[in-house]
Amino acid sequence: GVKIFNGITVEDVLIKNNRVNGVVINWTPIDMVKLHVDPLVIEGQYVIDATGHDAWVCKLVARRTGCCEIKGMGAMWVDTAEKEVVEKAGEIYPGLYTMGMATAEVFGIPRMGPIFGGMFLSGEKIAKEIIKNLKFMMVVFSTPIKAKRRISFYQVKIMLPCGSGRKNSGACSLNLERR
């Protein structure tokens, strides 16, 4: 199922063994009033940056690792942007995927304007990539958890920071189960 957390701020990322393994979050009101409250860490096998124009998670990873240059999106050119956002959406650092306008921000792709097809299709593309990787991981790297006799399942968490950047974001935690 999907778990949605509203009103959170992504403060940092969790990186282990040169791979993004989760996000560090705090409640947005805590950030707004500048209270010092220890953040929470949510781990996941994949993190998808869907923070839009800010590409906040990608910027954090780029700053922490030097993995890539965040080019900033170009001026509006809908036809080209729709196509390129889908083409370039994908894994930019192990464990970190980018989609939608975050992809435009990372790769310097033109803005899209009021057309959302490229954003949705880029999300569908990376979902398929992750599912393909999960199937491989389940076969090669994973041991089934025995819940009951003859029933085994795999549980994989994927973090999806989403919303309009760091200051007003939410997150979805997707648990994919195979029964």
Side-chain angles (χ1 to χ4, degrees), residues 24-36:
V24 179
I25 64 168
N26 217 329
W27 299 107
T28 300
I30 301 287
D31 184 57
M32 291 170 70
V33 297
K34 308 282 187 231
L35 289 176
H36 177 71

Side-chain angles (χ1 to χ4, degrees), residues 156-171:
V156 179
K157 285 192 175 182
I158 300 172
M159 290 307 304
L160 175 63
C162 52
S164 57
R166 176 178 188 265
K167 294 296 179 192
N168 187 19
S169 59

Side-chain angles (χ1 to χ4, degrees), residues 55-160:
W56 180 249
V57 179
C58 293
K59 287 177 181 174
L60 284 170
V61 172
R63 188 168 50 236
R64 294 262 183 240
T65 66
C67 70
C68 54
E69 174 190 353
I70 307 296
K71 296 181 179 177
M73 71 184 74
M76 189 176 295
W77 186 3
V78 176
D79 303 3
T80 299
E82 286 283 311
K83 185 178 96 184
E84 288 186 18
V85 160
V86 176
E87 287 173 3
K88 294 197 185 264
E91 193 171 32
I92 66 162
Y93 185 80
L96 175 63
Y97 283 77
T98 181
M99 64 168 281
M101 293 311 298
T103 305
E105 182 71 15
V106 169
F107 292 103
I109 297 169
R111 295 179 56 142
M112 282 195 259
I115 300 181
F116 299 105
M119 288 185 262
F120 291 125
L121 292 173
S122 69
E124 179 182 48
K125 175 188 171 187
I126 63 170
K128 287 177 180 177
E129 283 181 30
I130 289 171
I131 289 169
K132 183 177 76 174
N133 290 341
L134 291 175
K135 286 180 182 175
F136 174 75
M137 287 174 61
M138 287 177 194
V139 171
V140 176
F141 299 112
S142 189
T143 303
I145 301 166
K146 297 292 182 185
K148 293 181 183 174
R149 282 184 177 208
R150 298 189 192 127
I151 299 173
S152 65
F153 65 93
Y154 301 91
Q155 187 177 36
V156 179
K157 285 192 175 182
I158 300 172
M159 290 307 304
L160 175 63

